[in-house]
Amino acid sequence: MTPGGPPLLILGVRRSGTTLLRVMLDRHSRLAVPDESYFVPQLADRHLRRVDPEEFVDDLRRLNTLAEWGVPLDEVRARLAPGMPIGEAIATVYAVYAAERGKERWGDKTPMYMQNLRLLERLFPDARFVHLIRDGRDAALSFLEMPRGLVTETWMHPRTPADFASQWRTEVAAARRLGKRVGARYLEVRYEDLVADVAAVLGRICEFAGLDYEPGMADYAGNVDVSAKPHQQRLTQPPTTGARDSRTQMTPDDAEAFAEVAGDLLRDLGYEAPRDASAAGRVRRAGYGSRALAWRGASFALRRSPLWRRRHPPLR
C-alpha cells in the first residue's frame, strides 16, 4: 500500500476548477491536499525505479516546493529504506506533509500531471483519481485572460482558443482512457455540477475516497490566502455558477475554432458544440502531441544530466 494510504489525485485541465476542489478537500479532517507540487515527474526521472535514500533526500533539498511546504526532511529520511521503490519514496514525502498537519491521508492537485498519467498510474498503483471536467471553452476563456508570467510557458503554452482546445481535448481524453484502465478507482465529476450543488458532489467524492463527508469542507471563503495569487481571487467567494460563459463571452470565430479541434469530445461529454472536429483540427492536435512528446523528452534528458543539480542548488 502507498505510504499514507491510497492517495486521492485530482485530475483536470488548467482552469477547470481543480484549485477550488483542492481547497475544499484539503479542509477535510483526514485529508491533506497541498498546492501544486510539480516535483513528481522530476523525482521519478531522476531516480527511475528504486532510490538511494541519501541521494533522494539530497534532491529533495533542492526543490522550491518542499521548502515552501516546510516538509521536515529528517522525518522523510527516517522513513526511507535502501532500494525503496520510487513511488513509495515520493509518497513518503506527501505522507510526512500530511502527518505534520495531523492528517492520515494525502492527495495532489497539479494540472501539469495530466501529461504524466501513465507515470502516476505506475507510481501509485492504489491511487484514486477524481477527474474534474469543465466545458473547455469556459476553461479557455479563463486561461487566456490570465496575465502573462503567472504560469510557466513551455513549447506547449496555448495562446489561442484553438491551441487551448488541443490541450483540453488531448488531456481530457487521456484521463478518460486512464479511467477505463483503472475502473472503480476513477471518478468523473463536472465543474458545473460542483458549483451548482457543492454538498452533493463533495459527498460523492468523499464516498469514492472512503471518507465521511464533512460540511465544513465547503466553508472555505475567507479562509484561503490568495494574496500572492491574483488568478485565484474567486476563492474569496463561495462557489458561483456562470463565472465564465463561452456562449456569451466567446466570439463566434473563436467558438468555431475550438470546435474544429474538440467538437467531438464536447458533444460526447454532453456540451453543445456547433460542429464536430475536422481534419484540420486533427492536424492541429497532432502538432500539439508532437510538441508535448518533444518537451517530455527534453525534460527527461535534462533531469538525468548533471545540469539538473547545477540548476537546482540546495535550499536548506
Side-chain angles (χ1 to χ4, degrees):
M1 178 180 291
T2 300
L8 185 65
L9 305 184
I10 301 171
L11 307 179
V13 180
R14 290 181 290 184
R15 310 306 289 174
S16 293
T18 55
T19 296
L20 172 64
L21 181 56
R22 179 200 77 79
V23 166
M24 291 191 284
L25 291 174
D26 186 55
R27 292 179 60 81
H28 195 283
S29 62
R30 295 178 55 202
L31 181 67
V33 188
D35 208 348
E36 297 178 14
S37 57
Y38 301 113
F39 57 73
V40 170
Q42 294 188 66
L43 293 174
D45 287 348
R46 294 275 306 149
H47 300 273
L48 298 180
R49 296 290 175 176
R50 297 186 178 273
V51 303
D52 174 283
E54 299 303 329
E55 291 186 0
F56 183 76
V57 172
D58 183 62
D59 280 354
L60 298 184
R61 298 184 193 282
R62 302 166 186 271
L63 297 173
N64 286 325
T65 300
L66 295 188
E68 293 169 359
W69 289 2
V71 174
L73 299 186
D74 55 344
E75 179 61 27
V76 175
R77 176 62 185 90
R79 299 188 184 199
L80 299 176
M84 175 181 280
I86 179 59
E88 291 185 21
I90 294 173
T92 297
V93 177
Y94 285 98
V96 170
Y97 173 91
E100 287 290 300
R101 287 150 183 81
K103 300 184 179 184
E104 60 199 74
R105 296 274 301 279
W106 63 270
D108 182 274
K109 187 282 299 187
T110 308
M112 184 185 75
Y113 296 166
M114 291 288 278
Q115 302 162 22
N116 305 99
L117 298 180
R118 289 278 189 180
L119 176 65
L120 297 181
E121 189 180 357
R122 174 173 66 83
L123 294 177
F124 313 121
D126 57 348
R128 300 180 186 184
F129 300 92
V130 176
H131 183 197
L132 184 62
I133 298 177
R134 183 184 190 183
D135 187 322
R137 295 160 296 191
D138 294 344
L141 284 172
S142 180
F143 179 82
L144 295 172
E145 288 178 4
M146 293 173 61
R148 296 290 294 273
L150 288 179
V151 297
T152 301
E153 298 188 12
T154 69
W155 303 338
M156 302 174 289
H157 187 80
R159 291 181 172 82
T160 67
D163 287 343
F164 190 89
S166 295
Q167 182 178 31
W168 181 84
R169 192 194 184 285
T170 299
E171 294 183 356
V172 171
R176 301 190 93 198
R177 290 194 297 272
L178 168 70
K180 292 180 179 179
R181 293 195 300 271
V182 303
R185 292 192 292 113
Y186 172 90
L187 177 67
E188 196 168 279
V189 297
R190 302 297 174 89
Y191 169 81
E192 295 84 0
D193 295 337
L194 175 65
V195 296
D197 193 341
V198 172
V201 174
L202 287 182
R204 285 177 58 207
I205 294 173
C206 286
E207 182 180 6
F208 167 74
L211 300 167
D212 293 330
Y213 171 66
E214 298 177 356
M217 297 166 66
D219 187 24
Y220 65 85
N223 296 308
V224 182
D225 181 8
V226 294
S227 58
K229 299 180 179 181
H231 59 302
Q232 295 180 1
Q233 295 304 304
R234 288 195 176 275
L235 292 176
T236 63
Q237 308 167 9
T240 306
T241 59
R244 293 286 188 280
D245 188 347
S246 59
R247 293 171 297 182
T248 59
Q249 298 173 359
M250 181 174 275
T251 69
D253 286 347
D254 285 347
E256 179 74 15
F258 193 102
E260 185 176 46
V261 175
D264 53 344
L265 184 55
L266 284 170
R267 289 182 173 178
D268 286 348
L269 292 168
Y271 298 113
E272 294 181 2
R275 57 173 298 169
D276 281 335
S278 68
R282 290 190 287 273
V283 170
R284 182 182 287 272
R285 292 203 310 268
Y288 169 82
S290 297
R291 294 195 303 275
L293 184 62
W295 175 255
R296 286 196 292 272
S299 298
F300 178 80
L302 171 63
R303 293 163 186 166
R304 295 294 297 168
S305 77
L307 183 61
W308 186 89
R309 283 189 171 174
R310 289 201 292 270
R311 292 184 62 179
H312 296 81
L315 300 174
R316 48 180 168 152

